[in-house]
Amino acid sequence: SEDDYSESESGFVEGPTPTLEGPTTTPEGPTPTQAPVQVALQCGFNGIDPDITKLSDDALARYEMLLENFAAQVVPDFTAPVNLDDYCTPTNLALIWLASDDENSLYSVEQLINRYILGILHVAMNGSGWVNSMGWLSGLTECQWFGVICDDFGKITGLRLPDNGLESTIPSEIGLLSGLQKLNLPRNRLHGQVPTTSGALSDLSKYSVC
């Protein structure tokens, strides 16, 4: 369908399909480096699938395409990595995971966006150390991931992850889950304030993070 994302048609912006030759320098900024070949050595997995130790040629091609035609349109403040340390940020590790999924051409644009945002949350809040992360960053649909609540149309309406070992702060990208109505994250090791971007969640009627 027109909403499906494929390697030849991004569904976001028009333009040539990125190739494995890599990006070239443009007046807008420095040339991004390629994704690290050994993800595990560079980033210590940090919440993504520990089986993603090396990007295949196909995954690297998808990564470059998502980098050019997808990430910045989903996350407004996303910037392309320009050094190896940049590749270990939650926004980029989640993009690496998304590119490593051979089935991503089967997802609708909305699913790709939701999976990307949830991937960012997983990495940013120490998903590798969660008590229960069943289904997260797997081939299952995001509505089957532990603690993710969806309506009958597949829209994410709630996150329920109490007592689950979440750490750090709630990333601002949570505000991009526009259909979120309930946020239940009490008794974790979270600190700081609920991101101001949560104000963009017009349907959010109940939340608990303490």
Side-chain angles (χ1 to χ4, degrees):
S1 67
E2 292 182 356
D3 287 336
D4 288 336
Y5 178 88
S6 68
E7 292 187 12
S8 61
E9 185 175 338
S10 68
F12 284 89
V13 298
E14 296 181 356
T17 301
T19 68
L20 294 178
E21 296 175 358
T24 58
T25 303
T26 65
E28 285 84 14
T31 303
T33 58
Q34 282 194 331
V37 175
Q38 297 292 345
V39 180
L41 294 178
Q42 176 64 25
C43 302
F45 305 121
N46 198 22
I48 63 174
D49 188 340
D51 290 333
I52 304 175
T53 57
K54 184 176 181 179
L55 294 178
S56 66
D57 288 348
D58 287 343
L60 183 56
R62 286 192 294 267
Y63 171 83
E64 297 290 352
M65 190 185 331
L66 290 167
L67 189 66
E68 181 174 333
N69 295 337
F70 176 79
Q73 297 184 45
V74 177
V75 179
D77 59 353
F78 180 91
T79 55
V82 295
N83 58 58
L84 289 181
D85 288 340
D86 293 338
Y87 278 96
C88 298
T89 63
T91 51
N92 196 69
L93 280 177
L95 198 67
I96 289 173
W97 165 72
L98 199 64
S100 299
D101 184 356
D102 293 333
E103 304 296 324
N104 67 14
S105 63
L106 303 178
Y107 303 127
S108 68
V109 171
E110 183 178 6
Q111 282 183 294
L112 278 178
I113 293 173
N114 286 339
R115 291 171 76 84
Y116 181 43
I117 296 169
L118 291 176
I120 294 172
L121 301 184
H122 188 266
V123 176
M125 295 190 289
N126 189 39
S128 60
W130 288 2
V131 175
N132 189 339
S133 59
M134 185 175 65
W136 282 74
L137 306 196
S138 74
L140 294 174
T141 63
E142 59 277 12
C143 294
Q144 295 177 286
W145 297 1
F146 175 77
V148 178
I149 303 168
C150 297
D151 63 17
D152 293 339
F153 302 99
K155 181 179 287 294
I156 296 174
T157 59
L159 290 177
R160 186 169 57 208
L161 297 165
D163 302 290
N164 206 43
L166 280 66
E167 296 183 3
S168 190
T169 59
I170 301 173
S172 61
E173 286 80 11
I174 196 169
L176 301 174
L177 295 174
S178 59
L180 201 64
Q181 300 173 14
K182 296 182 180 180
L183 181 62
N184 185 9
L185 310 176
R187 298 179 299 280
N188 286 290
R189 294 186 289 274
L190 298 170
H191 57 84
Q193 302 296 317
V194 176
T196 56
T197 54
S198 63
L201 302 174
S202 58
D203 293 332
L204 188 64
S205 59
K206 182 178 180 180
Y207 66 90
S208 174
V209 296
C210 300

